[in-house]
Amino acid sequence: MIVGNRKDFSEILEKLGAARRVLLLGCNECVTVCGVGGEREVGVLASELRLYWTKEGETFEVREHTLERQCDYEYIDQIRGFADDYDVILSMACGAGVQYVAEAYKTKLVLPAVNTTFLGVTIEQGMWSERCQGCGACILDMTGGICPIARCAKSLLNGPCGGSSEGKCEIDKETDCAWQLIVDRLKESGQMERYEEILPVKDWRTGRDGGPRRRVREDLKL
Amino acid sequence: MRLSYPGNVKVVKVPCTGRVDVLLILRAFESGVDGVYLAGCLEGECHFLRGNLRARRRVEYVKGLLEEVGLGGNRVEMFNMSASQGQRFAQFAQEMTERIRLLGPSPVKKGE
Ligand code: SF4
Ligand code: SF4
């Protein structure tokens, strides 16, 4: 899933500026699962805004609304009937959702309430960890199912580096060395011969370096 | 045991402090209360095992939110006591009431 962090309340207030009629828009997908922008978090931020503005003696209106997804036009369209009643749409979706809402409501001020951080997994309830950087040419077959792009601090293709110590990465003692994990996993699964193969220099054009990416499936089109 | 505790304390019964969600506490503040405290069972004695431990973490989280919005994190607290410690119940009610008196009324009063 896509994981993010809620922006600080002070930053959100600053971005809102003088806007007092706020449509707070959540998303039912990834950001709900990682506890940052679903219905519940929309409720918490709305409550914070109400408490703050009531305390300041301001007149305001905060509407809470959570869409099934903010990355599909059909859902974004569902707020068409009342979006114009608000000064601003404050989106709690990932960056993709915020952008798609902004694209759909061209005249409206659309603001992000979340810092989108990574593609990852749930380690345990309340804890998430990065796993993939969408490089566009997956090499997990070569690395025992552990991604060195996302999980090695240096994205080394042929690791580990000299900073690997007792299974931990030199960047901090809490972070596993991805290459230690890879070697352990290759051993465990009887694939150590893969470690002997030198991975070639990666062509990053399939990733972000090739510019914005797009995917088309003609057969799926209507 | 006829103990008295300050009359300003309004008791809201829940099956376990683990039932108390962040939003529930925030809603109380939105309705204009001056402070909220949770009276949970002693740590390690939760009938549902970890309800009171979860409640404590949520209280800590709400403290942060109340700081952010400028109400002050001290307006919310978690206390632990056993069902037979009526004395402690009264003592915490007193303690919290005094703390809130010092902080003054909530700046979020309904209808003002
Ligand atoms: S190799 Fe690329 S696609 Fe595969 S997990 Fe890593 S970043 Fe993602
Ligand atoms: S210690 Fe391991 S994870 Fe850290 S940079 Fe070196 S190879 Fe990568």
Side-chain angles (χ1 to χ4, degrees):
Chain A
M1 86 192 86
I2 297 172
V3 180
N5 294 319
R6 227 247 0 239
K7 284 183 179 290
D8 282 342
F9 188 66
S10 56
E11 187 186 342
I12 291 171
L13 278 182
E14 195 187 308
K15 288 193 192 303
L16 284 172
R20 289 296 174 270
R21 282 175 307 155
V22 179
L23 173 52
L24 190 50
L25 202 59
C27 174
N28 260 339
E29 299 282 353
C30 309
V31 288
T32 295
V33 184
C34 72
V36 71
E39 197 174 343
R40 206 174 152 277
E41 301 306 317
V42 163
V44 170
L45 179 54
S47 184
E48 279 191 272
L49 287 169
R50 284 193 291 262
L51 286 170
Y52 181 78
W53 281 330
T54 307
K55 173 174 82 73
E56 298 296 303
E58 305 248 9
T59 314
F60 59 88
E61 190 192 337
V62 180
R63 176 161 180 170
E64 302 173 31
H65 195 89
T66 300
L67 297 175
E68 203 48 44
R69 282 199 285 283
Q70 285 188 33
C71 50
D72 271 312
Y73 188 80
E74 290 83 345
Y75 299 113
I76 297 176
D77 214 32
Q78 291 169 354
I79 59 169
R80 184 85 44 205
F82 52 87
D84 271 338
D85 300 342
Y86 299 88
D87 302 328
V88 55
I89 301 174
L90 181 57
S91 166
M92 299 196 82
C94 72
V98 179
Q99 290 181 60
Y100 219 25
V101 171
E103 256 179 77
Y105 297 90
K106 296 215 185 319
T107 59
K108 293 232 69 82
L109 181 60
V110 179
L111 301 173
V114 166
N115 293 322
T116 305
T117 44
F118 57 77
L119 296 182
V121 295
T122 309
I123 299 290
E124 61 180 77
Q125 172 76 5
M127 189 179 181
W128 299 271
S129 167
E130 183 163 19
R131 287 294 183 271
C132 173
Q133 288 191 351
C135 74
C138 195
I139 53 164
L140 286 173
D141 56 317
M142 295 301 296
T143 56
I146 290 151
C147 174
I149 315 290
R151 300 182 68 186
C152 164
K154 295 167 186 155
S155 294
L156 292 179
L157 290 175
N158 298 284
C161 72
S164 180
S165 164
E166 290 169 357
K168 299 294 172 192
C169 171
E170 63 182 344
I171 62 160
D172 81 86
K173 290 187 172 56
E174 297 283 298
T175 306
D176 290 328
C177 165
W179 274 99
Q180 181 70 57
L181 295 177
I182 291 170
V183 169
D184 290 348
R185 178 76 167 70
L186 287 175
K187 264 189 207 154
E188 249 170 34
S189 56
Q191 305 180 77
M192 258 319 256
E193 74 283 354
R194 296 211 188 261
Y195 188 56
E196 299 298 321
E197 272 176 62
I198 303 293
L199 285 170
V201 172
K202 199 166 167 66
D203 181 352
W204 291 100
R205 283 173 302 180
T206 55
R208 253 300 302 166
D209 294 17
R213 290 164 280 175
R214 196 165 54 134
R215 177 168 182 256
V216 183
R217 270 211 36 201
E218 292 296 345
D219 62 309
L220 288 180
K221 286 188 176 176
L222 295 178
Chain B
M1 199 159 40
R2 284 176 179 278
L3 295 164
S4 64
Y5 62 91
N8 51 275
V9 176
K10 182 174 187 284
V11 178
V12 178
K13 288 185 195 161
V14 287
C16 169
T17 46
R19 162 67 183 84
V20 183
D21 179 59
V22 168
L23 267 174
L24 211 57
I25 305 176
L26 288 177
R27 294 271 184 273
F29 281 102
E30 280 192 58
S31 76
V33 301
D34 300 316
V36 173
Y37 70 91
L38 270 59
C41 296
L42 294 172
E43 293 192 356
E45 311 256 298
C46 176
H47 182 70
F48 302 103
L49 305 178
R50 303 220 318 261
N52 51 359
L53 302 177
R54 292 202 176 112
R56 178 171 291 281
R57 289 203 292 258
R58 291 177 196 152
V59 164
E60 289 305 320
Y61 187 75
V62 174
K63 278 178 181 287
L65 298 178
L66 293 181
E67 282 297 329
E68 279 186 332
V69 300
L71 256 69
N74 267 344
R75 289 188 184 274
V76 61
E77 202 51 80
M78 173 88 201
F79 295 112
N80 298 87
M81 66 211 71
S82 82
S84 62
Q85 290 177 312
Q87 210 96 37
R88 271 170 80 84
F89 180 87
Q91 177 203 329
F92 289 136
Q94 191 64 44
E95 251 182 64
M96 194 63 185
T97 302
E98 273 160 29
R99 183 200 292 188
I100 300 295
R101 284 237 163 83
L102 283 174
L103 290 171
S106 162
V108 183
K109 283 284 183 202
K110 270 276 148 80
E112 278 177 27

